Amino acid sequence: MAAGNNLDNEVKQKESSDNAFSEGPDSDDTSINTGNDAEAVLHEDDNIQTEENTSANEASGDTEDSNPVNGSGEAAGTSGKKEKRFGRKKDKNIEKLEEKLAELEDKRVRQLAEFDNFRKRSEKEKSQMFETGAKTVVEKILPVIDNFERGLAGVPAEEKEAPFVQGVELVYKQLVTALDELGVKPIDAVGKEFDPNLHNAVMAVDDDSLESGTVAEEMQKGYMYNESVVRHSMVKVVN
Protein backbone atom coordinates (compact mmCIF):
# COMPACT_ATOMS: atom_id res chain seq x y z
CA MET A 1 0.00 0.00 0.00
CA ALA A 2 2.83 2.42 0.84
CA ALA A 3 4.57 1.59 -2.41
CA GLY A 4 1.42 2.28 -4.36
CA ASN A 5 0.90 5.60 -2.67
CA ASN A 6 4.44 6.67 -3.42
CA LEU A 7 3.96 5.72 -7.04
CA ASP A 8 0.73 7.70 -7.20
CA ASN A 9 2.46 10.73 -5.70
CA GLU A 10 5.27 10.56 -8.20
CA VAL A 11 2.76 10.32 -11.03
CA LYS A 12 0.88 13.33 -9.72
CA GLN A 13 4.03 15.35 -9.33
CA LYS A 14 5.09 14.51 -12.88
CA GLU A 15 1.66 15.49 -14.18
CA SER A 16 1.72 18.73 -12.29
CA SER A 17 5.14 19.51 -13.67
CA ASP A 18 4.03 18.63 -17.16
CA ASN A 19 1.02 20.86 -16.74
CA ALA A 20 3.24 23.67 -15.58
CA PHE A 21 5.41 23.37 -18.68
CA SER A 22 2.41 22.85 -20.91
CA GLU A 23 0.69 26.13 -19.95
CA GLY A 24 2.25 27.85 -22.99
CA PRO A 25 3.86 31.21 -23.75
CA ASP A 26 1.65 33.20 -21.38
CA SER A 27 3.35 31.84 -18.37
CA ASP A 28 6.75 32.37 -19.90
CA ASP A 29 5.92 35.99 -20.74
CA THR A 30 4.70 36.58 -17.25
CA SER A 31 7.87 35.25 -15.75
CA ILE A 32 9.95 37.20 -18.27
CA ASN A 33 7.99 40.35 -17.64
CA THR A 34 8.32 39.86 -13.97
CA GLY A 35 12.07 39.46 -14.38
CA ASN A 36 12.25 42.52 -16.61
CA ASP A 37 10.26 44.56 -14.10
CA ALA A 38 12.59 43.48 -11.36
CA GLU A 39 15.57 44.35 -13.46
CA ALA A 40 14.03 47.74 -14.32
CA VAL A 41 13.36 48.40 -10.68
CA LEU A 42 16.92 47.43 -9.91
CA HIS A 43 18.18 49.70 -12.70
CA GLU A 44 16.04 52.56 -11.47
CA ASP A 45 17.29 51.99 -7.94
CA ASP A 46 20.85 51.96 -9.26
CA ASN A 47 20.22 55.15 -11.24
CA ILE A 48 18.58 56.80 -8.24
CA GLN A 49 21.47 55.69 -6.06
CA THR A 50 23.95 56.90 -8.65
CA GLU A 51 22.21 60.26 -8.94
CA GLU A 52 22.05 60.55 -5.17
CA ASN A 53 25.74 59.71 -4.92
CA THR A 54 26.53 62.16 -7.70
CA SER A 55 24.48 64.92 -6.12
CA ALA A 56 26.02 64.09 -2.77
CA ASN A 57 29.48 64.20 -4.29
CA GLU A 58 28.68 67.44 -6.06
CA ALA A 59 27.27 68.87 -2.89
CA SER A 60 30.29 67.75 -0.94
CA GLY A 61 32.53 69.05 -3.73
CA ASP A 62 30.73 72.40 -3.73
CA THR A 63 31.01 72.50 -0.01
CA GLU A 64 34.66 71.63 -0.13
CA ASP A 65 35.23 74.08 -2.96
CA SER A 66 33.19 76.76 -1.28
CA ASN A 67 34.94 76.36 2.02
CA PRO A 68 38.37 77.20 0.63
CA VAL A 69 36.87 80.05 -1.33
CA ASN A 70 35.09 81.35 1.71
CA GLY A 71 38.16 80.74 3.78
CA SER A 72 40.37 82.50 1.25
CA GLY A 73 37.84 85.30 1.04
CA GLU A 74 37.82 85.67 4.77
CA ALA A 75 41.59 85.48 4.79
CA ALA A 76 41.74 88.04 1.98
CA GLY A 77 39.27 90.25 3.82
CA THR A 78 41.27 89.96 7.01
CA SER A 79 44.52 90.67 5.21
CA GLY A 80 42.85 93.58 3.42
CA LYS A 81 41.70 95.00 6.74
CA LYS A 82 45.17 94.50 8.16
CA GLU A 83 46.65 96.21 5.10
CA LYS A 84 44.17 99.07 5.45
CA ARG A 85 44.94 99.40 9.14
CA PHE A 86 48.65 99.19 8.42
CA GLY A 87 48.25 101.71 5.60
CA ARG A 88 46.39 104.11 7.89
CA LYS A 89 49.04 103.76 10.56
CA LYS A 90 51.70 104.25 7.92
CA ASP A 91 49.93 107.33 6.56
CA LYS A 92 49.67 108.78 10.08
CA ASN A 93 53.35 108.10 10.70
CA ILE A 94 54.26 109.74 7.38
CA GLU A 95 52.10 112.75 8.22
CA LYS A 96 53.76 113.07 11.61
CA LEU A 97 57.20 112.79 10.03
CA GLU A 98 56.30 115.38 7.40
CA GLU A 99 55.02 117.75 10.10
CA LYS A 100 58.19 117.20 12.10
CA LEU A 101 60.30 117.78 8.99
CA ALA A 102 58.42 120.99 8.17
CA GLU A 103 58.86 122.16 11.77
CA LEU A 104 62.60 121.43 11.67
CA GLU A 105 62.92 123.12 8.27
CA ASP A 106 61.13 126.22 9.56
CA LYS A 107 63.35 126.21 12.64
CA ARG A 108 66.46 125.88 10.44
CA VAL A 109 65.37 128.78 8.22
CA ARG A 110 64.65 130.93 11.27
CA GLN A 111 68.02 130.10 12.78
CA LEU A 112 69.78 130.93 9.50
CA ALA A 113 67.92 134.25 9.35
CA GLU A 114 68.78 135.00 12.97
CA PHE A 115 72.42 134.06 12.36
CA ASP A 116 72.54 136.30 9.27
CA ASN A 117 71.04 139.19 11.24
CA PHE A 118 73.50 138.52 14.06
CA ARG A 119 76.39 138.50 11.60
CA LYS A 120 75.29 141.79 10.02
CA ARG A 121 74.70 143.34 13.42
CA SER A 122 78.09 142.15 14.63
CA GLU A 123 79.82 143.53 11.54
CA LYS A 124 78.04 146.84 11.99
CA GLU A 125 78.95 146.97 15.68
CA LYS A 126 82.56 146.10 14.89
CA SER A 127 82.65 148.79 12.22
CA GLN A 128 81.16 151.32 14.61
CA MET A 129 83.58 150.30 17.34
CA PHE A 130 86.52 150.57 14.95
CA GLU A 131 85.29 153.94 13.72
CA THR A 132 84.80 155.16 17.27
CA GLY A 133 88.29 154.01 18.22
CA ALA A 134 89.80 155.59 15.12
CA LYS A 135 87.99 158.86 15.77
CA THR A 136 89.29 158.83 19.34
CA VAL A 137 92.85 158.43 18.10
CA VAL A 138 92.38 161.14 15.47
CA GLU A 139 90.98 163.50 18.10
CA LYS A 140 94.16 162.94 20.12
CA ILE A 141 96.36 163.69 17.11
CA LEU A 142 94.53 166.81 15.86
CA PRO A 143 95.92 169.10 18.61
CA VAL A 144 99.41 168.05 17.51
CA ILE A 145 98.53 169.07 13.95
CA ASP A 146 97.23 172.39 15.27
CA ASN A 147 100.50 173.03 17.14
CA PHE A 148 102.55 172.23 14.04
CA GLU A 149 100.47 174.69 12.02
CA ARG A 150 100.74 177.43 14.66
CA GLY A 151 104.48 176.92 14.99
CA LEU A 152 105.10 177.06 11.25
CA ALA A 153 102.82 180.08 10.88
CA GLY A 154 104.86 181.98 13.51
CA VAL A 155 108.23 181.43 11.83
CA PRO A 156 109.60 184.62 10.27
CA ALA A 157 109.99 184.68 6.51
CA GLU A 158 113.83 184.88 6.68
CA GLU A 159 113.98 181.75 8.87
CA LYS A 160 111.68 179.49 6.80
CA GLU A 161 114.66 178.18 4.85
CA ALA A 162 116.44 177.12 7.99
CA PRO A 163 117.14 173.37 8.23
CA PHE A 164 115.29 173.07 11.53
CA VAL A 165 112.20 174.75 10.13
CA GLN A 166 112.41 172.61 6.99
CA GLY A 167 112.63 169.44 9.15
CA VAL A 168 109.58 170.44 11.23
CA GLU A 169 107.61 171.17 8.06
CA LEU A 170 108.53 167.74 6.64
CA VAL A 171 107.30 166.01 9.83
CA TYR A 172 104.07 168.00 9.65
CA LYS A 173 103.47 167.09 6.01
CA GLN A 174 104.22 163.41 6.70
CA LEU A 175 101.69 163.34 9.58
CA VAL A 176 98.99 165.01 7.46
CA THR A 177 99.64 162.56 4.62
CA ALA A 178 99.31 159.58 6.99
CA LEU A 179 96.02 160.90 8.33
CA ASP A 180 94.76 161.51 4.80
CA GLU A 181 95.56 157.90 3.85
CA LEU A 182 93.56 156.75 6.90
CA GLY A 183 90.53 158.74 5.73
CA VAL A 184 91.00 161.90 7.78
CA LYS A 185 90.21 164.96 5.66
CA PRO A 186 90.11 168.67 6.60
CA ILE A 187 86.75 170.42 6.27
CA ASP A 188 86.66 173.16 3.64
CA ALA A 189 85.06 176.16 5.35
CA VAL A 190 86.26 179.61 4.13
CA GLY A 191 83.97 181.02 1.44
CA LYS A 192 81.41 178.23 1.91
CA GLU A 193 77.86 178.59 3.14
CA PHE A 194 77.55 178.04 6.84
CA ASP A 195 76.52 174.44 7.63
CA PRO A 196 75.78 173.69 11.29
CA ASN A 197 76.58 170.02 10.65
CA LEU A 198 80.15 170.95 9.71
CA HIS A 199 80.81 174.38 11.14
CA ASN A 200 80.76 175.84 14.61
CA ALA A 201 80.04 179.60 14.42
CA VAL A 202 81.75 181.49 17.29
CA MET A 203 81.54 185.00 15.88
CA ALA A 204 79.54 187.11 13.40
CA VAL A 205 81.34 189.74 11.27
CA ASP A 206 80.43 192.36 8.68
CA ASP A 207 81.96 191.80 5.26
CA ASP A 208 80.50 193.53 2.18
CA SER A 209 82.50 191.28 -0.15
CA LEU A 210 80.71 188.15 1.05
CA GLU A 211 77.06 187.22 1.21
CA SER A 212 75.25 186.84 4.47
CA GLY A 213 75.64 183.41 6.01
CA THR A 214 78.98 182.79 4.41
CA VAL A 215 82.03 181.68 6.40
CA ALA A 216 84.43 184.59 6.46
CA GLU A 217 87.30 183.16 8.51
CA GLU A 218 88.36 179.81 9.98
CA MET A 219 89.69 180.01 13.51
CA GLN A 220 90.26 176.26 14.02
CA LYS A 221 90.35 173.69 11.27
CA GLY A 222 87.79 170.93 11.38
CA TYR A 223 88.32 167.34 10.27
CA MET A 224 86.20 164.40 9.08
CA TYR A 225 86.92 160.71 9.38
CA ASN A 226 85.36 158.98 6.40
CA GLU A 227 81.75 160.30 6.49
CA SER A 228 81.57 161.42 10.13
CA VAL A 229 82.74 164.66 11.66
CA VAL A 230 85.62 164.29 14.10
CA ARG A 231 85.81 167.98 14.90
CA HIS A 232 83.70 170.90 13.68
CA SER A 233 85.38 173.88 12.09
CA MET A 234 85.44 176.93 14.36
CA VAL A 235 84.50 179.85 12.07
CA LYS A 236 83.36 183.47 11.75
CA VAL A 237 80.16 183.98 9.78
CA VAL A 238 79.07 187.05 7.81
CA ASN A 239 75.95 188.80 9.12
Side-chain angles (χ1 to χ4, degrees), residues 101-119:
L101 180 62
E103 182 180 354
L104 292 175
E105 181 65 18
D106 181 70
K107 186 176 180 180
R108 184 185 70 84
V109 173
R110 289 177 182 274
Q111 288 179 346
L112 288 176
E114 291 178 358
F115 177 76
D116 188 58
N117 292 333
F118 172 76
R119 180 179 58 80

Side-chain angles (χ1 to χ4, degrees), residues 79-102:
S79 61
K81 290 181 180 177
K82 290 182 179 179
E83 289 178 357
K84 288 182 180 179
R85 292 177 182 175
F86 180 76
R88 290 178 182 175
K89 291 182 180 178
K90 186 176 181 181
D91 292 340
K92 290 181 179 179
N93 291 332
I94 291 174
E95 289 177 359
K96 290 181 180 179
L97 291 175
E98 289 178 351
E99 291 177 358
K100 186 67 175 178
L101 180 62

Side-chain angles (χ1 to χ4, degrees), residues 13 51 106 111 126 138 141 197 216 221:
Q13 289 178 357
E51 289 176 358
D106 181 70
Q111 288 179 346
K126 288 179 181 178
V138 172
I141 296 175
N197 296 319
K221 188 178 292 185

Side-chain angles (χ1 to χ4, degrees), residues 154-202:
V155 175
E158 64 273 9
E159 295 181 3
K160 287 186 178 180
E161 299 298 328
F164 177 76
V165 175
Q166 292 292 323
V168 172
E169 187 173 1
L170 288 174
V171 173
Y172 166 73
K173 289 181 179 179
Q174 185 178 6
L175 183 59
V176 170
T177 302
L179 291 175
D180 183 74
E181 290 176 352
L182 292 174
V184 180
K185 307 287 183 182
I187 297 173
D188 192 7
V190 178
K192 301 295 183 180
E193 184 178 359
F194 175 76
D195 185 356
N197 296 319
L198 301 175
H199 308 137
N200 182 19
V202 295

